[in-house]
Amino acid sequence: MKKIRAKVIEYQAFDKEELVRQAKKQELENRVEKFYKELESFAKDENHSSFLGFKSKERLRVKNYVGLIETKSGVLEIYPKVVLENKNDNSSLKNSKAENLKNHAQQELQEKLKEAYKIEYLNDTQNLKPSFDKIPTNKFQSTNPKLLLIELLRTLKNSPFKESRLSSLKSEKMPLFDIFISMFLQELEMIFKKGFKRDYVSIEENRTFLKGKLLFAQNLRYNFIHKERFFTQSDEFILNNPANRLIKSTLALLKTKTKNYESDIKNFLERLECVEFSKNFKKDFLQCQQTRHYDYYKNLLSWCQLFLKGKTFTPYQGEDKAYALLFPMEKLFEDYVAAMFKRSNPKRSNPALKIKPQVRRKNMLIDVNDDKQEDGKQGLFPLKPDLLIKKNHKKIIADTKWKIPNNDEKFGISQSDLYQVFAYAKFYGAKEVWLIYPFCERTKDLKEKISQKEWVFNEEQETCKQAENSQDVNKNPNIHLKVYFAPLPSKAFLQDSSNLKSNN
């Protein structure tokens, strides 16, 4: 049965009419009523309140998670909100209509984006800053939400998306779930070419011939009458091992989710015909982690975890079955910025510059009665700044914020964000902190307004004021605050992701 495919963006509210408008293009408007009820059932579950909720009695609203929610009747695809807000309109979801840049213009744009994330000295002072201001603002105004999501997923730490070789041009018109399935099958094809892993497995069996070691006790028990049989134990070199069982179970699951790749999945299932389905996912994953024999399976097993084990995959059992494959946008943006900083500042070109993401060495509270705790390595409320940047003796804390600041007299900087970065700076001994927001259509004006601003934390009054002498950081004991806007990949940049290969 063909399913409705509806698209929304972060924090967008929608109702049945919105789904009908999108379903009409697919000639599936007769299924909207059931699809909406399934989404309501999903939202009513308290375990899913972080993903989907009610704005009113007749309207649902997605939260700050992107990805997809699939029910029996349809799939709701949720994309990053990086364009101007349009109420009751899905025009922001349409592919960019901007003209394609010429080849030399695309190359120029790619190089400028990489240059933007380089950390350099400001003039001849000891101040460091990212080169975001070098990017012409009109170059990043037509971001495609789907392509942006794919590119952000490529930089997500500890995920299988990093090794994906699926081109963005191919995936632009594909359903989101089919993109994930295509990435999985692409990885599986590579494993198949290298050869599926076989293991020696001890098998006990009552045979009509003698093979391996004869088990006398079992043979006497089972073959007292049948003298022509032998109960033996032998080591068989077979495909039926934990990793292949997990792969086959994943294929069986995905077969029920797609029609476009049904034949490819069927072919792989036939190749693994002699392999059993996994009966205990947790046990099989644990066995794979305890041996190095599955090193070249690592990325493929990450995909299996994504689909089977529940790692960012949320199974829901209710009146209607639904599945959610969702990712927090804050985490995606954080990992993207960290990855771009590291790629644009390779160690070999600047050995003194160190960029450390998600440092965790400090805690706000330490139990003084616990002798096991040393140097703040254990305790309560860990302090984990997004980025710790070191250059010689200078330390900078960078904290990414996936949100659109208000263009008001406070420049959209929230008090809670200030408390957070101030605590980071105090505990890590940094004299400078950065707040990094996304640069898109909705932050363009604020970026131009705030680009020349710099503040210091006035620790005597516990307030912020604009620095009078911002250049002389070393002589000023206060902690400096700077706000930057990180450019996101545009459509022209996303058309060729090969430039994002690591330089480290």
Side-chain angles (χ1 to χ4, degrees), residues 159-175:
S159 77
F161 300 98
K162 297 179 72 173
E163 302 298 326
S164 172
R165 295 164 181 80
L166 186 67
S167 69
S168 296
L169 283 176
K170 180 181 178 181
S171 59
E172 187 172 355
K173 296 182 179 180
M174 293 169 59

Side-chain angles (χ1 to χ4, degrees), residues 203-234 236:
I203 297 176
E204 296 181 1
E205 188 177 359
N206 200 13
R207 301 182 171 103
T208 57
F209 56 91
L210 184 61
K211 181 180 181 180
K213 181 173 66 173
L214 182 65
L215 301 178
F216 291 98
Q218 290 88 334
N219 189 62
L220 185 62
R221 177 182 176 186
Y222 292 101
N223 299 327
F224 184 76
I225 299 176
H226 301 282
K227 302 296 183 182
E228 75 282 2
R229 296 180 184 175
F230 306 90
F231 199 100
T232 62
Q233 180 189 57
S234 62
E236 303 286 341

